[in-house]
Structure formats: structure tokens, C-alpha cells
Amino acid sequence: MDKVALITAGGSGMGAAAARRLAADGYRVGILSSSGKGEVLAAELGGVGVTGSNQNADDVARVVDAVMAQWGRVDVLVNSAGHGPRKPLLELTDADWQGGMDVYFLSAIRPIRLVTPIMQAQKSGAIINISTAWAFEPSAMFPTSAVARASLAAFTKIYADTYAPDNIRINNVLPGWIDSLPATEERRQSVPMGRYGRAEEIAATVAFLASDGAGYITGQNLRVDGGITRSV
């Protein structure tokens, strides 16, 4: 029986890298992407692609329905995200904050809401949210991301407790500076390992958390940041 992974915001960057890695590991893949690149990648990987946004509940429902019509199950959900508003803290408007919550928080909640009953019926499932290293050491560079993803961490803990009896696991991956972002020397030098991470390294972490080898890991926030965060 084929295992099935659904990746949102999977047309480029870390989401696309995760889709490629999971396909290489033998998963059937469904990809949601607003750019159209997800459809192209899904076709390349022998999967199902839908062009739409994880900020739109109807688009999320379309990709879940397409995956279920094709394979009848969802074993892994990977939530990736785009970029939200960035401004000096008090220049962010109400609409900016709401936009940030949409991009970074609700974009994960919408597909989780739809796949959970599927995973409950299967009595198995793994959810991996690609978050940020700055969720716990907030930076003025990314105010809406830090605030919304701290909320996602709280949601993840509550979800893990609630659905562990159904054998559904949920974890967050916290990337630091990754090569899918524009590189600067200052940022590179701020990392103890002295380099940007590779999107493929994030994908490998996602693949591990999706695997049976991570079967006793849930409710966690795993930093993949070259040591840039300092908290114990």
C-alpha cells in the first residue's frame, strides 16, 4: 500500500524540497501551490498538483479532495508557508497582523482541520509544520512570523495531546537561515556553523519526522538552524 503525503506551499523552496524528498522515499505526493509550480513538480513526481493558496479554505479543500480521490488516504501532511508583512513593530496595522496570522498560522490550521478526520479513520498520521527558528527567540526582522508561529507552537502542543490517542503525531521544524532565502555575509557569519542551511536538510528532517523512526516524537519543536538560537 502506497503512503501519501500532502504538501502545502510546495511549489518552491523548503516545501518543494520536502515534496521531492518524500517522493524519493516512496510516498505518493499531493502538492498545493499558488504559483503553478506545484502542479509542474507534482507531474514530475507522478503526483497530484493543485494551483491555489493555503490562505483559501476552498483551495485547501480542493487539494485534499484530489488526493483522496486519487489514493484514498493521507499519511503525512507538511505545512509550508509564504511570507507575511514585515515592518517596524508599531507600523504594522491591524490588517498586517491579521495577514500574518493568515500566512503563518491559519495556513496550517486549515489543512490540519481537513486531514485529521482522515487520519483518525486510518488510526495513523504525521503532521509536520515548517515554522521558524525565531518562533522562540523573536526578532524584529520577522515580527508577524514570530508572533504567529509562537501561536502555532501553542496550537501544536494542544493538538498533540488531543490526537495522540488516535496515533496522530504533530511536530514543528524550525529552520534558521536556509539557502532558499537571499544570502548575506552578515547573516552567514551569525551562524555558528558558518553557512546557510540547505533546503534539502530541512526536507531530510521533515522526512525523518514523517517516518516510523520518529514514531514516539510528537508535540516537539525541532531547531534546524546551524546553532543560531541560543536558548537551552
Side-chain angles (χ1 to χ4, degrees):
M1 179 181 58
D2 290 328
K3 285 199 166 185
V4 178
L6 171 59
I7 301 95
T8 68
S12 59
M14 292 178 278
R20 289 184 185 280
R21 174 57 189 262
L22 289 167
D25 286 353
Y27 287 85
R28 300 292 189 178
V29 294
I31 302 174
L32 177 69
S33 166
S34 59
S35 66
K37 293 178 184 175
E39 281 199 59
V40 174
L41 179 58
E44 177 189 325
L45 299 175
V48 170
V50 169
T51 296
S53 172
N54 57 6
Q55 296 174 56
N56 182 296
D58 291 339
D59 290 347
V60 174
R62 279 198 299 125
V63 73
V64 173
D65 288 347
V67 165
M68 289 299 287
Q70 186 74 17
W71 298 298
R73 60 188 298 113
V74 179
D75 298 282
V76 175
L77 168 65
V78 180
N79 284 311
S80 189
H83 299 283
R86 290 175 56 186
K87 293 178 186 174
L89 191 63
L90 296 185
E91 292 178 21
L92 289 158
T93 64
D94 286 7
D96 289 331
W97 286 112
Q98 288 161 350
M101 290 298 283
D102 211 23
V103 169
Y104 297 119
F105 179 73
L106 290 171
S107 64
I109 307 311
R110 291 184 190 98
I112 289 171
R113 194 183 283 137
L114 294 180
V115 304
T116 297
I118 297 166
M119 291 177 171
Q120 283 179 300
Q122 297 166 182
K123 284 293 180 186
S124 69
I127 298 169
I128 301 105
N129 303 311
I130 300 178
S131 180
T132 177
W134 291 276
F136 299 105
E137 296 188 16
S139 166
M141 284 185 293
F142 310 112
T144 60
S145 169
V147 170
R149 283 163 159 166
S151 300
L152 182 60
F155 172 91
T156 295
K157 282 293 188 186
I158 298 167
Y159 184 98
D161 289 349
T162 305
Y163 294 100
D166 293 310
N167 197 30
I168 303 173
R169 301 182 296 105
I170 184 170
N171 294 288
N172 299 328
V173 175
L174 310 183
W177 296 118
I178 303 299
D179 62 6
S180 56
L181 300 166
T184 71
E185 191 58 32
E186 179 186 7
R187 290 174 180 175
R188 186 179 291 112
Q189 290 177 359
S190 72
V191 181
M193 290 188 74
R195 67 174 178 86
Y196 273 55
R198 299 188 301 276
E200 290 76 18
E201 291 172 313
I202 300 301
T205 306
V206 168
F208 165 65
L209 289 172
S211 74
D212 291 342
Y216 203 50
I217 301 175
T218 193
Q220 302 306 307
N221 294 279
L222 181 55
R223 297 178 178 92
V224 190
D225 64 3
I228 196 170
T229 49
R230 299 285 180 260
S231 53
V232 176

